[in-house]
């Protein structure tokens, strides 16, 4: 029973000795844990610690069937592209619906148009309209129970993004081919979405009857196919493809099943189109750990924001495996002779993927859902990467445990004197001279979290934004004011909530546990975000110690306060944006970048708010509800008064 | 009534009210940690609907509440459908009030008992003796532990029938402290009808009522027989009401056979999903013995001088090991732990247990979301977390037991010892 509970009564002396030992090296020990966690992650960049990708789902049978696509489909794709280019001259800012609808109907698909409306949360009831168009190819062999989605975002000619017009003809040509086949056992939905991710979100919401979102009015779908089990999104810049790029990071850092990724990679290899994850052209050294490390970081960086990097990312929320194939245009000018072969290869890849998905008997469940891709054929699974986050979060728990032990077992001076007199006795129950003021600690925790809740409410509340609009303040400026109010309030809070160092210790315990728990669950949901948060915040949280002793060292106090301000969420966002823009525009003047970054920060926060409202990205909510309150608690702890001072004051 | 208790009631009532009108209430109600097949409000509504339409709700596999709850719920849903959430909040607050008065009675009793023995205690043990001020403080802490426990708040917002269960249990504790034997037994029988496992609480109750009688064993036997009689009578009443015995299998049978393998925070579902059908019966009975009588006798022999402590321990045991546990029941046994405030200096795992509670309470819903909604994690993740959650509860329990024994030892031997002595309770 000793395992479950400590049955001995006399161990407290030994325990005290250990505690004294530990308390001396507490910070060092915690930092060691952190370092081990970090090094663990670095070690993952060695190829020996990575696994090669493999297929778990046998039903996929990738590339086993003979491809039946013939030259006529290729020619059709080219003709359709010419027609579409012609249509685009007259439809400058919208999808050429009549043409597309006619084509889909001609091919023999059930064709529908889906209307949706965005009630923009900022700017006094502005609305945006959009129209998706989709065609359903009913499975001839089975009732409409399951379906797969092949989607293309349509960008009108006046878009600011890279043009990806070639996707539509490719998809229509494939639809024409697919309709003539009789082996489909899953419906295929050919979807052309409007307004980038908004259209996709509206389609998915309407498809799943999810009408909780009152900002995006997702409208109704007049035709539905079966349960969607997988989706492939195409962003095809041109038929003259240089290479294909895979995009997998979805909303809130969710990833598709690794089997789907492998499937696409395998088929691309089979039809000799270069493909890769975050592909850079140039030679790829398999054994280079440094390059691997940067590949890892670049994937994790994309994943950590929780913003999908393609339309596929929105499917993940509904438990649908999806990814985007981005075909990158060849840079060199001059018409390529073998463009027919490129189109053929693309079509064969689509055919191969569709037929493999068609084979599936159950949903994807075999392979990994939690992984980090190093290169297109190697990955790191959850069991290998999780310990690094676990160790870093554990250092927070250990630190809080050590503070707890030290606070409860600190030998008081009086007692030490007493102890000298009868040295051979141990006292099991020691009366602590200080009482923890639970109420005060609770108040601090509650207040700091209330500030967080307030930050979330005032930035997302429609009434406040309508008011700002009526005052003729642009959204960005309005958000800037709101954020400054929160900033000022969070910095001024220690003025109203005072603590002594003894209570601050218990506050420290509470905040460490909160952070540790948050990091653990965030890294389960979105490993990359959890990892970056751990790396950034853990060392800071470890080295924050409550100042003890009677006098406050002013210099140390100032250094500490500065450090605190450096780690404020807003400062961090600003720092990150500064860094990114410095990397992107390294030729510019640094002061100019610093200047520009302020407005970029405000824009960034605005987009985060919009993302949270429309798509359900929880990064902003997490920052407001957990990270900001934790920062405030640390900040309040920084201003705690030394113990003696207070007891003296009381005596006076 | 106590002023600070009143403030706490108002405040916690407000918290419950605001959460229940917020947009989160629906998703709280649907959480498996809150609603189990046994206590979910949705199933209750379904059962009432069937009942009102003249269909026996026990024929299907939806409804597993006992007939009295069915009738009460039918009455409430027919007449006060708009005030249901308010009624639940009110019931929860009343529970807290009864916990307050019940634990007050128990504290008084403990103090009185100690007065008789205090001459035998060692010197310097004042710190761990029951104190006169405890009679006022401890019940307040118990009520606070119920009112502001996130588990009980979620349970109340989720409108589970465990809210009523907790009311019955708190009334039972109250009746026990006031020595109202018949009321206590009726309440226990009612709760047994709802949840089956609490029948083992008859042991501490029989012990408690026999403390002042001369022929203890006869008294205990009489109590148990009386309980059996009342329980049988209640079931017969239910039979008259439903005019069929179907409910027996649909309530007790459903609990004992663990027919619904919906994931929950307990230990049954994962195990029995994996189980070969041949061995199902064997392991089922092993598990049920583990929940009910395996620990009953040793614990009874160890803690027989304090039936209230035994009650706390048994209540938590059946909560941890039952086939459909939910956080509402955990909230109830947790609210009784402050009763043993004087034991707490000996508890050595508080920090670890509390941290584990917190981490698993957050991580559990997270991995459940990943498993069910994001379709990425799987059952093993969730079971792993709930296993740790159950383990931490067991840690809490064993720690409490050991601390109680250590305190008892220290009361008679003093709190300071020779350094060279090795003391162990093994």
């Amino acid at each position: 029973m000793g395992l479950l509970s400590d049955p001995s009564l006399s161990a407290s002396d030994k325990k005290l000795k250990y505690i004294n030992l530990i308390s001396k090296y507490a910070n060092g020990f915690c930092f060691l844990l952190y370092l081990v966690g970090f090094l663990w992650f670095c070690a993952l960049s060695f190829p020996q610690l990575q696994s090669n990708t493999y297929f778990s789902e046998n039903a996929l049978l990738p590339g086993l069937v003979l491809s039946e696509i013939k030259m006529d489909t290729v020619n059709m794709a080219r003709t359709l592209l010419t027609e579409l280019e012609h249509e685009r001259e007259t439809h400058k800012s919208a999808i050429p619906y009549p043409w597309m609808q006619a084509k889909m109907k001609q091919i023999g698909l059930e064709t529908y148009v889906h209307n949706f409306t965005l009630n923009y949360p900022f700017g006094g009831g502005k609305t945006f309209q959009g129209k998706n168009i989709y065609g359903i190819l009913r499975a001839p062999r089975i009732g409409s129970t399951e379906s797969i989605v092949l989607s293309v975002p349509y960008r009108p000619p006046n878009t600011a993004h890279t043009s990806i017009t070639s996707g539509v003809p490719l998809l229509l040509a494939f639809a024409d081919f697919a309709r003539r086949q009789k082996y489909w056992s899953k419906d295929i939905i050919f979807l052309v979405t409007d307004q980038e991710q908004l259209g996709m979100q509206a389609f998915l919401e309407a498809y799943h009857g999810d009408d909780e979102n009152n900002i995006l009015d997702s409208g109704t779908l007049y035709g539905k196919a079966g349960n969607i089990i997988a989706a492939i999104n195409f962003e095809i810049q041109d038929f003259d493809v240089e290479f294909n790029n895979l995009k997998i990071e979805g909303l809130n850092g969710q990833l598709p099943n690794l089997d789907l990724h492998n499937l696409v990679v395998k088929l691309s290899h089979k039809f000799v189109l270069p493909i890769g994850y975050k592909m850079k052209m140039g030679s790829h050294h398999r054994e280079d750990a440094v390059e691997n490390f940067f590949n890892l970081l670049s994937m994790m960086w994309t994943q950590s924001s929780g913003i999908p990097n393609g339309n596929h990312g929105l499917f993940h929320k509904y438990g649908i495996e999806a990814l985007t194939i981005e075909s990158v245009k060849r840079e060199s000018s001059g018409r390529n002779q073998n463009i027919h072969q490129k189109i053929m290869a693309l079509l064969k890849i689509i055919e191969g993927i569709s037929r493999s998905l068609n084979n599936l008997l159950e949903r994807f469940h075999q392979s990994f859902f939690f992984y980090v891709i190093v290169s297109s054929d190697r990955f790191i699974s959850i069991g290998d990467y999780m310990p690094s986050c676990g160790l870093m979060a554990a250092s927070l728990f250990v630190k809080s445990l050590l503070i707890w032990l030290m606070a409860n077992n600190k030998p008081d001076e009086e007692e030490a004197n007493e102890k000298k007199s009868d040295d051979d006795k141990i006292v099991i129950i020691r009366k602590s001279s200080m009482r923890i003021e639970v109420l005060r600690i609770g108040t601090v925790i509650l207040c700091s979290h209330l500030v967080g809740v307030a930050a979330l409410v005032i930035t997302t509340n429609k009434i406040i934004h309508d008011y700002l609009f009526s005052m003729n303040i642009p959204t960005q400026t309005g958000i800037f004011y709101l954020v400054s109010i929160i900033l000022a309030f969070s910095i001024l809070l220690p003025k109203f909530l005072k603590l002594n160092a003894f209570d601050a210790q218990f506050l420290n315990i509470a905040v460490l546990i909160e952070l540790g728990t948050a990091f653990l669950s965030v890294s389960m949901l979105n490993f990359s975000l959890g990892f970056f948060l751990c790396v950034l915040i853990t060392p800071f949280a470890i080295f924050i110690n409550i100042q003890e002793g009677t006098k406050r060292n002013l210099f140390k106090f100032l250094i500490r306060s500065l450090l605190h301000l450096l780690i404020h969420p807003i400062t961090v966002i600003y720092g990150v944006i500064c860094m990114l823009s410095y990397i992107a525009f390294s030729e510019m003047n640094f002061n100019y970048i610093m200047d520009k970054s302020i407005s970029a920060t405000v824009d960034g926060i605005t987009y985060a708010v919009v993302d949270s409202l429309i798509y359900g990205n929880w990064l902003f909510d997490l920052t407001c509800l957990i990270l900001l309150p934790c920062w405030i608690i640390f900040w309040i702890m920084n201003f705690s008064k030394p113990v003696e001072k207070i007891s003296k004051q009381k005596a006076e | 009534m106590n002023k600070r208790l009143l403030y706490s009631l108002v405040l916690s009532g407000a918290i419950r009210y605001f959460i229940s009108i917020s947009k989160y209430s629906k998703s709280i109600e649907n959480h498996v940690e809150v609603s189990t097949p046994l206590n979910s409000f949705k199933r209750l509504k379904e059962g009432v609907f069937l009942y009102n339409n003249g269909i026996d709700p026990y024929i299907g596999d939806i409804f597993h509440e006992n007939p009295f709850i069915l009738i009460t719920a039918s009455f409430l849903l027919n007449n006060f459908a708009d005030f249901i959430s308010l009624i639940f909040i009110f019931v929860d607050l009343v529970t807290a009030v009864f916990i307050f008065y019940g634990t007050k009675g128990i504290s008084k009793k403990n103090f009185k008992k100690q007065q008789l023995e205090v001459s035998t205690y060692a010197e310097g043990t004042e710190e761990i003796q029951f104190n006169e001020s405890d009679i006022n403080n401890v019940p307040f802490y118990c009520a606070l532990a119920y009112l502001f426990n996130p588990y009980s708040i979620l349970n109340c917002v989720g409108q589970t029938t465990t809210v009523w269960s907790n009311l019955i249990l708190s009334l039972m504790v109250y009746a026990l402290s006031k020595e109202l034997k018949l009321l206590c037994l009726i309440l226990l029988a009612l709760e047994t009808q709802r949840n089956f496992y609490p029948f083992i609480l008859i042991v501490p109750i029989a012990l408690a009522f026999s403390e002042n009688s001369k022929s203890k064993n006869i008294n205990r036997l009489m109590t148990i027989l009386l309980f059996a009689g009342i329980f049988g009578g209640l079931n017969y009443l239910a039979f008259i009401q439903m005019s069929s015995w179907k409910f027996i299998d649909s309530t007790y049978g459903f609990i004992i056979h663990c027919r619904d393998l919906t994931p929950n925070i307990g230990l049954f579902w994962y195990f029995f999903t994996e189980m070969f059908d041949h061995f199902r019966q064997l392991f089922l009975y092993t598990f049920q013995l583990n929940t009910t009588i395996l620990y009953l006798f040793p614990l009874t022999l160890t803690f027989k001088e304090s039936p209230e402590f035994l009650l706390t321990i048994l209540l938590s045991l059946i909560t941890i090991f039952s086939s459909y546990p939910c956080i509402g029941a955990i909230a109830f046994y947790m609210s009784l732990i402050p009763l043993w405030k004087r034991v707490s200096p000996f508890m050595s795992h508080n920090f670890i247990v509390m941290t584990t509670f917190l981490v698993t309470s957050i991580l559990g819903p997270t991995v459940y979301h990943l498993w069910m909604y994001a379709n990425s994690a799987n059952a093993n993740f969730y079971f792993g977390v709930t296993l740790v959650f159950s383990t931490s509860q067991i840690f809490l329990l064993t720690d409490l037991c050991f601390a109680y024994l250590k305190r008892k030892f220290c009361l008679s031997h003093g709190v300071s010892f020779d350094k060279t002595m090795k003391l162990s309770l093994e």
Side-chain angles (χ1 to χ4, degrees), chain B residues 105-396:
Chain B
I106 293 175
S107 302
K108 255 184 208 157
K109 196 176 146 196
N110 281 336
F111 186 68
K112 262 186 215 153
K113 232 197 254 174
Q114 183 185 274
Q115 295 294 72
L116 300 176
E117 296 171 355
V118 78
S119 53
T120 63
Y121 288 171
E123 269 178 47
T125 53
E126 289 78 16
E127 179 72 5
I128 54 170
Q129 287 175 11
F130 291 119
N131 197 322
E132 187 124 36
S133 67
D134 286 354
I135 296 172
N136 287 319
N137 283 333
V138 164
F140 179 60
Y141 295 148
C142 291
L144 277 191
Y146 189 76
L147 286 174
F148 293 100
N149 190 334
Y151 296 146
S152 74
I153 294 175
L154 291 176
N155 182 47
C156 178
V157 174
Q159 303 185 344
T160 65
T161 47
T162 306
V163 172
W164 302 3
S165 219
N166 287 350
L167 177 70
I168 295 174
L169 281 172
S170 68
L171 264 169
M172 190 193 83
V173 170
Y174 177 73
L176 182 70
S177 74
K178 291 277 178 235
E179 307 208 339
L180 306 167
K181 190 168 177 176
L182 195 65
L183 181 64
C184 187
L185 291 180
I186 291 172
L187 290 164
L188 182 64
L190 277 174
E191 179 55 19
T192 306
Q193 267 209 321
R194 210 196 82 73
N195 202 7
F196 174 68
Y197 296 110
F199 77 89
I200 64 167
L201 297 182
I202 189 62
V203 174
I205 287 171
L207 284 176
F209 284 120
S210 70
E211 265 174 351
N212 297 323
S213 75
K214 276 171 196 159
S215 46
K216 286 192 167 149
N217 284 332
I218 294 175
N219 188 312
R220 286 169 195 162
L221 194 69
M222 289 307 289
T223 313
I224 292 173
L225 284 178
L226 186 58
F227 169 70
I230 292 171
F231 183 61
L234 280 181
N235 279 330
Y236 188 68
L237 267 181
F239 165 69
I240 293 172
Q241 184 62 42
M242 301 304 299
S243 56
S244 98
W245 287 108
K246 272 257 163 23
F247 74 92
I248 296 276
D249 183 55
S250 199
T251 52
Y252 312 126
F254 180 73
I255 295 168
I256 295 169
H257 291 285
C258 192
R259 289 190 190 124
D260 194 317
L261 295 177
T262 314
N264 58 36
I265 52 173
L267 303 165
F268 273 67
W269 65 274
Y270 189 81
F271 198 75
F272 286 101
T273 319
E274 303 281 317
M275 181 64 56
F276 292 120
D277 263 358
H278 290 83
F279 296 98
R280 195 182 150 89
Q281 292 292 318
L282 171 71
F283 281 101
L284 199 59
Y285 291 130
T286 318
F287 266 57
Q288 298 293 10
L289 283 181
N290 175 55
T291 318
T292 49
I293 54 175
L294 186 62
Y295 307 112
L296 182 61
F297 297 110
L299 285 175
T300 309
L301 292 177
T302 318
F303 300 115
K304 63 176 179 293
E305 86 279 6
S306 174
E308 291 80 11
F309 187 76
L310 184 63
L311 182 88
T312 314
I313 294 293
L314 288 179
L315 204 57
S316 41
L317 262 180
I318 55 178
T319 307
I320 299 167
F321 291 117
S322 64
S323 41
Y324 309 104
C326 68
I327 55 173
I330 295 174
F332 188 80
Y333 84 71
M334 277 186 165
S335 71
L336 291 184
I337 289 178
L339 255 182
W340 315 103
K341 184 188 161 206
R342 295 290 157 187
V343 168
S344 68
F346 295 93
M347 290 176 72
S348 47
H349 292 155
N350 285 343
F351 183 80
I352 292 170
V353 166
M354 285 339 274
T355 313
T356 326
F357 265 117
L358 184 75
V359 173
T360 48
S361 303
I362 302 292
L363 216 54
T366 309
V367 289
Y368 188 80
H369 170 87
L370 283 177
W371 173 25
M372 288 296 168
Y373 300 104
N375 198 22
S376 49
N378 54 44
N380 304 297
F381 288 69
Y382 187 65
F383 181 68
V385 175
T386 54
L387 190 63
V388 176
F389 183 69
S390 299
T391 315
S392 72
Q393 288 188 68
I394 295 166
F395 261 64
L396 177 68

Side-chain angles (χ1 to χ4, degrees), chain A residues 228-244:
Chain A
I228 304 173
I229 55 159
I232 310 282
N233 182 48
F234 297 94
E235 290 179 7
I236 292 167
Q237 297 175 0
D238 197 274
F239 284 149
D240 191 8
V241 184
E242 172 101 57
F243 61 90
N244 278 344

Side-chain angles (χ1 to χ4, degrees), chain A residues 524-545:
Chain A
M524 274 309 296
L525 291 163
N526 182 350
F527 167 69
S528 307
L529 180 62
F531 176 79
F532 287 125
L533 286 177
C534 275
V535 169
L536 188 71
I537 298 173
T538 311
F540 174 80
I542 290 174
F543 285 109
I544 290 294
N545 283 327

